Amino acid sequence: MKRWQGLFWMALLLAGCGAEEPVFETRFLAFGTLVDLSISGAPRAQAEAAATAIEQDFQTMHHLWHAWDPGPLGRVNRLLPSGERFAAPPSVLALIGLGQELSARSDGLFNPAIGGLVDLWGFHRDDPSQWTPPDDDRIQAFVQQLPSMADIETDGIFLRGANPRLKLDFGALGKGYGIDLAIEHLREMGIENAILNAGGDLRAIGSRGDRPWRIAIRRPAGAGALGIIAVSGDEAVFTSGDYERKFEHQGRRYHHIIDPRTGYPARGSLSVTVLHADATTADAAATALFIAGPDGWHALAARMGIRYVLLVDDQGAIQMTPAMAERIELLAHPGPVQISPPLPAAEAPRHP
Ligand code: ADP
Ligand code: MG
């Protein structure tokens, strides 16, 4: 009797495992946000070892690419405005190359060379009480001399800045590129099914057992999810929103995504979600399309080769591409939902 009971419980346990693939989950802090790593279909010891390595990767990247702490990017930022030729630290060369390419493709709306402007708004200080609007004169002076990624001359590992206002800020790219590198590392460690999620921006590979990963898209200005996207295979989902770093001053709200054409926080969008094959492109594109806004995002998405876009405008209305509409399961939404004309099928190639 005992023996039969044992077999019964064993069968129940196995049935349970079949229904719900065990997922290893871990969480750590990097890039100023919580990073969640979920791994499915790997033995626990292998998943734990991989998680330790990935956490180390993130701490390293955080240090290497920090725009205002001392470190390699800090050194580049001291040398670029001087106009002198110097040997760049290898750890930032790839980001500069990607930044140049993606900035050009976004017509300069994604512009990681405007760190000086982001700094003027106070966002390079950790203490939010120091985030405050600068004098308009200073903004206009900056925009008159607007630095761009094309102002960085590259010659192998040597760089020379051609604009005294150059200061690199990879806040809109580093997370994406870091996730791409970490996904490659996970695969090298034999992990085929995982989600790497940095504060809602993520890339998913493989699946969760025999089901796709289900990704919640954050609702701007409020708790809860706007919708769910099923991802299986390999895809990145990135959202740029006005809610990440923001402050209020004399009754007006300001946020951290700056329109390089005006020098002021971009107007018109509350959030933009992009799906793409790689996180690097998705990160830069979400920022660029957010700035392009309700009237400009469609043309820019076509130029950048982005097929899946969802934008929430400042009236709470949703605009999305037909491809996105097919993929997203929208949860209750109070505002209007408009499907855009389709975008050309040609998608930007996968980075890096
Ligand atoms: P999130 O933090 O919501 O993921 P983004 O990926 O859009 O947002 O990155 C925003 C950050 O990028 C800002 O905090 C700032 O450091 C930097 N940034 C602001 N404006 C621009 C811009 N026009 N181009 C590139 N980077 C920008
Ligand atoms: Mg971004």
Side-chain angles (χ1 to χ4, degrees):
M1 182 66 189
K2 270 249 158 68
R3 206 171 137 227
W4 287 112
Q5 256 181 4
L7 280 177
F8 172 76
W9 286 116
M10 183 104 86
L12 205 67
L13 206 70
L14 284 173
C17 285
E20 181 76 9
E21 177 86 4
V23 174
F24 172 88
E25 284 175 348
T26 185
R27 166 178 275 208
F28 53 87
L29 205 67
F31 292 126
T33 185
L34 274 178
V35 181
D36 285 290
L37 171 61
S38 310
I39 296 175
S40 166
R44 190 173 174 90
Q46 186 188 8
E48 268 174 11
T52 306
I54 294 303
E55 181 172 352
Q56 278 169 5
D57 288 352
F58 270 83
Q59 304 310 348
T60 306
M61 293 187 287
H62 181 97
H63 165 70
L64 294 175
W65 302 338
H66 203 286
W68 61 94
D69 281 356
L73 186 57
R75 176 169 165 262
V76 169
N77 279 339
R78 277 196 309 282
L79 289 165
L80 277 178
S82 73
E84 280 167 40
R85 181 180 142 102
F86 62 98
S91 55
V92 293
L93 269 180
L95 265 183
I96 291 175
L98 289 165
Q100 286 182 319
E101 183 199 322
L102 288 160
S103 187
R105 281 203 351 237
S106 76
D107 289 342
L109 293 191
F110 164 72
N111 181 354
I114 60 164
L117 189 55
V118 180
D119 196 12
L120 265 187
W121 281 90
F123 290 117
H124 284 182
R125 271 158 277 169
D126 294 318
D127 175 6
S129 72
Q130 297 191 5
W131 302 349
T132 176
D135 284 343
D136 184 60
D137 295 355
R138 299 180 70 192
I139 294 178
Q140 298 314 327
F142 194 99
V143 172
Q144 292 303 313
Q145 261 196 317
L146 192 76
S148 83
M149 291 305 286
D151 291 331
I152 304 174
E153 296 164 20
T154 57
D155 171 16
I157 65 160
F158 290 97
L159 301 181
R160 190 205 309 268
N163 185 316
R165 290 192 182 263
L166 273 172
K167 181 179 183 187
L168 298 174
D169 171 340
F170 289 117
L173 185 68
K175 218 197 288 176
Y177 184 51
I179 287 179
D180 282 338
L181 291 180
I183 289 287
E184 239 176 80
H185 193 185
L186 278 172
R187 286 196 167 127
E188 279 164 19
M189 292 184 287
I191 304 294
E192 295 296 334
N193 306 287
I195 292 193
L196 192 48
N197 180 341
D201 294 331
L202 60 93
R203 181 163 161 190
I205 55 169
S207 56
R208 182 188 176 129
D210 51 9
R211 289 175 300 168
W213 295 105
R214 285 169 64 78
I215 314 291
I217 304 303
R218 198 167 144 185
R219 194 180 287 281
L226 184 72
I228 306 281
I229 298 179
V231 170
S232 55
D234 184 352
E235 218 162 24
V237 185
F238 269 66
T239 301
S240 272
D242 72 346
Y243 43 79
E244 286 291 344
R245 283 162 93 81
K246 60 172 192 306
F247 63 84
E248 242 179 72
H249 182 80
Q250 297 178 343
R252 289 199 60 168
R253 296 181 64 230
Y254 299 91
H255 62 81
H256 67 146
I257 302 175
I258 312 291
D259 186 336
R261 299 167 298 190
T262 63
Y264 280 80
R267 311 281 301 265
S269 319
L270 293 186
S271 75
V272 168
T273 300
V274 164
L275 248 80
H276 196 72
D278 65 278
T280 304
T281 308
D283 198 356
T287 305
L289 298 176
F290 181 99
I291 298 168
D295 299 325
W297 70 270
H298 193 263
L300 187 58
R303 263 202 301 290
M304 292 189 80
I306 306 293
R307 274 185 75 207
Y308 299 98
V309 186
L310 181 153
L311 179 142
V312 183
D313 74 16
D314 58 4
Q315 308 300 307
I318 288 179
Q319 293 186 40
M320 60 179 155
T321 57
M324 180 65 111
E326 265 175 37
R327 292 286 300 277
I328 194 167
E329 187 186 313
L330 274 187
L331 302 174
H333 179 70
V337 176
Q338 189 194 327
I339 314 284
S340 76
L343 287 166
E347 271 192 283
R350 186 191 295 276
H351 274 298

